[in-house]
Amino acid sequence: MAIIPITVIFAFSNENVLYYTAICSGFAVAEIIVWLGRDIVIPKINLASKAIIIAFYFITIIVYITIVLQNGMFSLKALDIYEVYSVRSEFHLNKYVGYLFNWQYTIITPFFIVRAIDRKKYLTAIAFCGMQFLAYLYAAQKNILFVIPLVVGIAIVSNLRSFNTLAFCGLSLGTALVTALGFKLNFFYQLYDLFVRRVLILSANLKFIYYDYFSTHTLIGLAGTLWGKFLGIDFPYEERIGIIISTEYFNKPEMNSNTGFWAEGYYRFGLFGILLVGIIFALLILVIDEFAKWNGYSFALGISFFAIFTLNDGGIIDSIIFGPLTVLIFLCLFYNKGDDFKKLRMKTEYSKI
């Protein structure tokens, strides 16, 4: 999702060799850490799983009520991919609910969808998919919309023995097919524009644009994160990074051109930052893998896949400091599906008797 498109852009453009090599090296380090740490056992911390469910429902109620109160009735303008920037610019939430909203569509709603599917509560799963779609109509962020087919599809097919091969081949061949047919049929062009161009190619191109900009401008370090605020680190720019890039390179500040964590590593700490985000990413994968040992591969993959997917278009350092990845790590350490489903299983066993 990240390295191959980056390589494609590098191959067909006159981009910086050192930056590309640093990204490949960071990815290689991440692979080595995951391989070396695959047998490490992380102690499971027991906490009432029901309390987590109640807290998640409480956050969900707060988020959606606040969205409606601050933005009024939703419209269908976000369904037109050429109107998403205007809808996105009009969407607003107060700072604290904005944090919760990010948790909501990245971790909490996917968790509820996967949990409902695992419990065979399909109407509940459909309801939470509808809530995710509603969040997209308000915020017009493509990542929110992708959660529905991604998480539902992963939760359903990830139990297949050939899932890894199916996923890789499906993504590769599907991307090639959509691209080829997009030149002939409008429907496939819409798919190409929404997924191949916007998610893969544009994100990869932006990583080199970020390097081009921050190789001659001030790196931000921990500025803009919660720890940066605690340490009194001032943000060195008047606008958000995505708006600066959009203004400088596209003359469209409303685009808010964000990209993935490899670029974040560079614009925070330079070439060392690329190695740092690779290490953090590897450690995150190991935590999720331990969660899978306790709760099942399909359950773990369904919950975490969207959070990992969004890293192609978002940061990991900021997200892991009181962001969505904080919630994901919390789930991995404290949630136990066996405790959550205990009452349901008791009823099932009783009915069999």
Side-chain angles (χ1 to χ4, degrees), residues 78 84 87-89 91 101 105 134-141 144:
V84 293
V87 177
R88 191 181 302 171
S89 64
F91 177 70
F101 178 66
Y105 74 78
L134 181 64
Y136 170 76
L137 293 180
Y138 275 104
Q141 297 180 28
I144 300 177

Side-chain angles (χ1 to χ4, degrees), residues 66-67 69-72 87-94 138-139:
T66 306
I67 287 175
L69 290 178
Q70 295 191 5
N71 295 275
V87 177
R88 191 181 302 171
S89 64
E90 295 170 0
F91 177 70
H92 58 275
L93 283 174
N94 71 64
Y138 275 104

Side-chain angles (χ1 to χ4, degrees), residues 15 39 76 111 130 138 142 180 228 237 265 270 283 314 316 319 324 339:
E15 303 294 354
D39 296 324
L76 300 179
F111 168 77
Y138 275 104
K142 61 181 181 294
Y237 299 98
L283 296 176
I316 193 171
S319 181
D339 292 338

Side-chain angles (χ1 to χ4, degrees), residues 36 42 50 54 63 72 74 100 205 237 260 290 329:
L36 293 175
I42 302 175
K50 296 294 185 183
I54 293 172
V63 166
F74 67 90
L100 297 181
N205 187 53
Y237 299 98
E290 190 65 22
I329 294 172

Side-chain angles (χ1 to χ4, degrees), residues 103-116 128 132 147 151 155 299 302-307:
W103 296 2
Q104 182 72 46
Y105 74 78
T106 307
I107 302 296
I108 297 177
T109 302
F111 168 77
F112 278 133
I113 293 172
V114 174
R115 179 174 178 264
F128 278 108
Q132 188 78 357
V147 72
V151 173
F299 199 85
I303 291 171
S304 62
F305 187 86
F306 181 62

Side-chain angles (χ1 to χ4, degrees), residues 154-179:
I154 290 294
I156 293 174
V157 305
S158 57
N159 284 317
L160 299 175
R161 288 187 177 182
S162 59
F163 168 72
N164 289 335
T165 303
L166 179 65
F168 181 79
C169 292
L171 180 62
S172 302
L173 297 177
T175 299
L177 182 63
V178 164
T179 303

Side-chain angles (χ1 to χ4, degrees), residues 318-339:
D318 190 26
S319 181
I320 215 165
I321 302 176
F322 206 63
L325 292 183
T326 306
V327 183
L328 178 60
I329 294 172
F330 181 86
L331 266 177
C332 291
L333 294 177
F334 294 101
Y335 178 79
N336 190 325
K337 188 176 75 172
D339 292 338

